[in-house]
Amino acid sequence: MIEISKLKKKQFSLIMHLKLAGTELFKFKTNDCLSPIGWHIIHCLYVECIWIRSYFFGDNLLVNKLKNIADSNKIKPKNRGLILPEYNYLYEFSKNEFNKNLILCNKIKSRKKLLYFLQFLINHHSQHLETIKIILNLINLKNKNAPIKSFSKIEEKVFNFNPVYIKEGYYKIGTSSSNKFSYDNEKPEFIKKLKSFLISKNLIRIDEWLCFLNSGGYKKKSLWSKAGWDWKCKNKITHPLGWKINKESLSISTAYGYEKPNKDKPVSNISFYELEAFANWVKLKIPHEFQWEAANSNLLDKYKVWEWHNNKFFPYENFMPYPYDEYSLPWFNNNYYTLRGASIFSETELKRKTFRNFYQPHIRFIFSGGRLSTN
Ligand SMILES: [Fe+2]
């Protein structure tokens, strides 16, 4: 079964990232809402054991052993580094137990059920792998000695809307496919009537963002929502997260150190609030997630940054939690905005039209940007 080898690749990548972090950084806390890299490894192992060992074989031994360390409901992210085992133990233990799970998968008779849970685990691990890259970026930002040798001179550029016209009509949203994996919040498929709109084919670029910045976009209160302005002032936000500006040159932090940006690179690591101010500056709107999905085949630059949308994360009509309540239900609380697409740091399995990501509007440690629309 090809999914077993795909899962093996995810396990390998998790272990490699643990190795990359090493003894110095595997417990490193970047902020109160993100767990250290080492925790993501043991958590992925724990989630695998819930499905492969407990669900299919009734073996709860490892699940019970790991519960108090690796269950996201048991311990807050800010305390997760304190309870992790030592590096060498964690490395060897995870590697061996991951391997045992693969051997067990080959013994499962119900191939249809196995297929679903393998796909679930591949998607789950993919999301954690991206979070690890978010953490690596934050570690780079916190490291005062990180080499910033790659500066590039970027000329600001006036924003180019370059829209595609999407006519009024009925559009298919979400999925009910049982062949392709999707999370519960992408289901069920339904038909939505949308009014006509224009949406930019391209993502907002860094040279366009530089123009916003140079024209005082971060200083003009009238462009910002009340919540956005309060957040910006309180946190002294003056540019996207990770930008190092040296006279007219720019270097940008990434998961793998500072990089020399190209001018046409999409802006990343901006909050919903910053995008909202930019949209007001050019007198356009942030699209609704349905508009993104309806226009999908006409859009360029997909899957380069997560794209903020102007609607809160919500359940589709007839939503059914699956395979457990906690995957989506707790997040339908009106505090989260939906993001679509994926980023250059996303695993391929997450790059699909119906995938819905969700974060609070002030969050910008994710690889987030956006495109704009009319109404
Ligand atoms: Fe998880």
Side-chain angles (χ1 to χ4, degrees), residues 196-223:
S196 63
F197 61 96
L198 296 169
I199 184 165
S200 43
K201 286 186 202 157
N202 305 93
L203 294 164
I204 302 169
R205 299 157 41 133
I206 57 166
D207 52 1
E208 293 169 337
W209 200 271
L210 193 64
C211 187
F212 169 64
L213 196 153
N214 290 343
S215 79
Y218 281 84
K219 294 176 187 155
K220 288 178 192 152
K221 195 177 177 182
S222 58
L223 297 176

Side-chain angles (χ1 to χ4, degrees), residues 43 47 124 128:
H43 167 78
V47 174
H124 174 268
H128 283 277

Side-chain angles (χ1 to χ4, degrees), residues 199-200 203-204 209 231 240 267-279 285-293 299 304-313 335-342 357-373:
I199 184 165
S200 43
L203 294 164
I204 302 169
W209 200 271
W231 165 82
V267 69
S268 181
N269 292 86
I270 53 163
S271 64
F272 175 85
Y273 293 139
E274 287 165 277
L275 183 61
E276 199 176 36
F278 187 99
K285 299 261 187 319
I286 302 173
H288 189 283
E289 62 174 314
F290 294 163
Q291 292 176 315
W292 188 88
E293 207 169 321
L299 304 180
K304 289 187 174 174
V305 288
W306 289 100
E307 300 178 38
W308 284 109
H309 287 89
N310 75 353
N311 60 282
K312 301 276 175 71
F313 184 55
N335 290 329
Y336 295 82
Y337 281 83
T338 309
L339 295 108
R340 292 299 199 101
N357 205 346
F358 47 92
Y359 277 95
Q360 291 158 301
H362 65 278
I363 295 296
R364 57 194 210 135
F365 52 65
I366 51 172
F367 304 109
S368 49
R371 71 180 79 229
L372 300 176
S373 65

Side-chain angles (χ1 to χ4, degrees), residues 165-232:
Y165 174 74
I166 305 295
K167 62 177 190 221
E168 179 171 306
Y170 293 88
Y171 294 91
K172 223 194 289 182
I173 306 290
T175 176
S176 290
S177 168
S178 53
N179 299 329
K180 283 187 184 164
F181 177 82
S182 51
Y183 282 118
D184 55 4
N185 62 54
E186 300 166 59
K187 295 174 175 172
E189 184 182 296
F190 60 99
I191 301 293
K192 180 77 188 167
K193 187 181 180 192
L194 296 176
K195 290 194 172 136
S196 63
F197 61 96
L198 296 169
I199 184 165
S200 43
K201 286 186 202 157
N202 305 93
L203 294 164
I204 302 169
R205 299 157 41 133
I206 57 166
D207 52 1
E208 293 169 337
W209 200 271
L210 193 64
C211 187
F212 169 64
L213 196 153
N214 290 343
S215 79
Y218 281 84
K219 294 176 187 155
K220 288 178 192 152
K221 195 177 177 182
S222 58
L223 297 176
W224 294 72
S225 64
K226 163 92 176 68
W229 184 255
D230 290 349
W231 165 82
K232 185 205 80 78

Side-chain angles (χ1 to χ4, degrees), residues 4-34:
I4 298 181
S5 57
K6 281 189 186 171
L7 181 64
K8 189 179 176 179
K9 277 189 188 157
K10 301 298 166 200
Q11 295 175 338
F12 179 75
S13 189
L14 286 163
I15 294 289
M16 282 301 104
H17 279 89
L18 177 63
K19 211 171 173 180
L20 181 69
T23 46
E24 296 276 299
L25 296 172
F26 84 106
K27 279 188 184 188
F28 188 83
K29 187 176 96 170
T30 48
N31 65 36
D32 281 354
C33 48
L34 284 172

